[in-house]
Amino acid sequence: MPKSKNRSFEEVHDVYAEYLSESQTQEVDSAYELAKKMHAGQKRKTGEDYIYHPIQVVGILADLKMDKDTLISGFLHDVVEDTPESNDQIRKVYGDDVADIVDGVTKLGKIHYESTEEIMAENHRKLLLAMAKDIRVIIVKLADRLHNMRTLEVHRPEKQHRIASETLDIYAPLAHRLGLANIKWELEDLSLRYLDPDQYYRIAKMMHTRREERDKEIAVATEQIKRAIDTLKIGHFEVNGRPKHIYSIYRKMTDKHKHFSEIYDLLAIRVLVDSVVDCYAALGAIHAKWKPLPGRFKDYIALPKPNGYQSLHTTIIGPNGRLWRSRSGL
């Protein structure tokens, strides 16, 4: 589940101040001050001051280490729509890139979706990508949608269902296409929470009852894989693990008619390396230690995804005979 507590401006500021220069940080801070001034007195349906929304949007963008202009656009993305500030004024102060991103996000927000059938959803995704001459428009829009989904409970059920359907059919696939896996996963889980709440909470409860067991298994497997790869002397690498997200389990249960107890690959390990050669070497070390499951190997290095994503995917019979998904990537 996403964090329910809003981050303060100071907390978000500390995230982007770590990787931006001092002058860039000051520019982003000034955009916050402008947004705070222009949104003064406005409230969201949650009852909070409106400024907390752009702060959370920028927090999501800062976690992605987006550039200065994207962060500024995150603070100002609703200013033209909801306040007297004009896009021309933003252009004078912050330049063409920021003004164009804000304008693009504003235009995307005005698109009305009459259908979210699969073919229409694909057409809308193409429309969004075509309208966004700068891909940063889509990224700001995804951050905006993610925070809106985190606060969707304040809306009436019909609107919750409509927005959740739209998010699942259009925005989650866009996040996937851009390689924003964490945003994709959270958008899917939050959408399921409103589209099929009984199943969502049922799966969440079953996952929670086994959380301690899964955390231990992830820790053990991560350490074993680190030791296996360390023998290669390949230089820098990172290994981390995570449980599968709720929506992926839901899809497996519904598409393959499986019970929760029949789903074994609930855990995934990711290995990050610095080169293609190291990527294949790391996979070899994993397969040498644990038996791979036939038919579950995918090579996205030889055949990258359209968004440029490159990695190797495999499913192994890991510690305790459990199935694990392993991903070795650059």
Side-chain angles (χ1 to χ4, degrees):
M1 285 290 294
K3 298 172 183 175
S4 57
K5 178 181 178 296
N6 280 334
R7 284 189 280 184
S8 66
F9 166 70
E10 290 74 20
E11 290 170 319
V12 171
H13 169 274
D14 288 346
V15 177
Y16 61 74
E18 284 187 3
Y19 67 88
L20 294 181
S21 69
E22 186 175 347
S23 62
Q24 290 175 327
T25 299
Q26 289 173 352
E27 281 191 74
V28 178
D29 290 349
S30 74
Y32 160 71
E33 294 296 340
L34 175 59
K36 185 178 178 182
K37 175 184 174 183
M38 299 310 297
H39 288 299
Q42 295 180 349
K43 299 283 186 180
R44 300 193 84 216
K45 282 188 175 293
T46 58
E48 298 168 316
D49 289 340
Y50 196 93
I51 188 60
Y52 282 109
H53 171 63
I55 290 173
Q56 306 321 304
V57 168
V58 173
I60 294 165
L61 296 171
D63 289 338
L64 297 173
K65 290 186 165 50
M66 295 302 297
D67 66 287
K68 164 186 68 82
D69 286 346
T70 308
L71 299 181
I72 291 172
S73 302
F75 275 128
L76 302 179
H77 75 276
D78 279 335
V79 161
V80 174
E81 179 82 8
D82 297 333
T83 80
E85 188 78 356
S86 71
N87 198 260
D88 287 340
Q89 290 170 306
I90 291 174
R91 193 177 300 276
K92 287 178 184 178
V93 177
Y94 294 105
D96 290 340
D97 279 4
V98 170
D100 289 344
I101 294 171
V102 171
D103 184 55
V105 174
T106 302
K107 288 177 178 175
L108 293 187
K110 293 179 179 178
I111 296 177
H112 296 289
Y113 302 95
E114 297 177 0
S115 169
T116 52
E117 294 295 328
E118 186 174 349
I119 186 169
M120 288 301 295
E122 178 60 21
N123 287 340
H124 283 307
R125 289 195 291 271
K126 290 178 180 178
L127 174 64
L128 293 183
L129 289 170
M131 286 182 65
K133 298 175 183 178
D134 187 331
I135 201 64
R136 292 175 294 182
V137 172
I138 297 292
I139 295 174
V140 173
K141 185 62 182 176
L142 285 170
D144 171 60
R145 175 54 60 108
L146 178 55
H147 183 246
N148 283 334
M149 286 298 295
R150 288 175 178 175
T151 56
L152 195 60
E153 71 275 2
V154 299
H155 295 288
R156 62 187 187 278
E158 314 89 75
K159 189 170 184 178
Q160 290 175 347
H161 195 278
R162 177 180 61 77
I163 293 175
S165 294
E166 180 183 292
T167 299
L168 189 61
D169 290 340
I170 296 170
Y171 289 99
L174 276 175
H176 176 68
R177 188 170 296 181
L178 295 178
L180 302 174
N182 288 337
I183 289 180
K184 168 187 177 285
W185 295 332
E186 189 175 345
L187 287 175
E188 288 177 338
D189 281 359
L190 288 169
S191 296
L192 179 62
R193 178 180 171 187
Y194 294 99
L195 294 174
D196 194 343
D198 290 343
Q199 280 286 63
Y200 172 87
Y201 286 109
R202 178 169 167 261
I203 295 170
K205 183 178 179 180
M206 288 187 289
M207 291 180 71
H208 180 75
T209 59
R210 296 170 58 182
R211 184 180 302 277
E212 187 175 338
E213 174 190 342
R214 288 200 320 276
D215 289 346
K216 287 180 180 177
E217 289 187 40
I218 288 173
V220 169
T222 299
E223 190 56 39
Q224 290 183 8
I225 288 176
K226 283 181 180 178
R227 288 201 297 267
I229 297 175
D230 199 44
T231 62
L232 301 174
K233 309 295 183 186
I234 65 173
H236 176 74
F237 67 90
E238 296 177 20
V239 181
N240 51 62
R242 62 167 179 83
K244 264 194 170 180
H245 65 298
I246 294 173
Y247 182 72
S248 67
I249 295 172
Y250 169 83
R251 284 293 302 271
K252 185 160 286 191
M253 290 173 66
T254 54
D255 294 351
K256 299 186 177 180
H257 307 290
K258 289 182 176 288
H259 186 269
F260 184 82
S261 61
E262 298 176 281
I263 301 175
Y264 297 104
D265 57 333
L266 295 173
L267 308 166
I269 297 290
R270 181 177 65 175
V271 180
L272 296 177
V273 294
D274 291 334
S275 71
V276 169
V277 172
D278 290 349
C279 201
Y280 284 104
L283 179 73
I286 292 170
H287 281 180
K289 186 170 181 61
W290 294 286
K291 184 178 179 179
L293 201 66
R296 296 299 298 271
F297 172 69
K298 295 179 182 178
D299 189 337
Y300 293 117
I301 290 180
L303 296 170
K305 290 187 176 183
N307 63 6
Y309 172 86
Q310 288 185 288
S311 72
L312 303 173
H313 290 200
T314 187
T315 300
I316 58 173
I317 303 174
N320 302 321
R322 292 281 299 277
L323 294 182
W324 287 73
R325 289 186 63 196
S326 179
R327 178 159 64 91
S328 179
L330 305 177

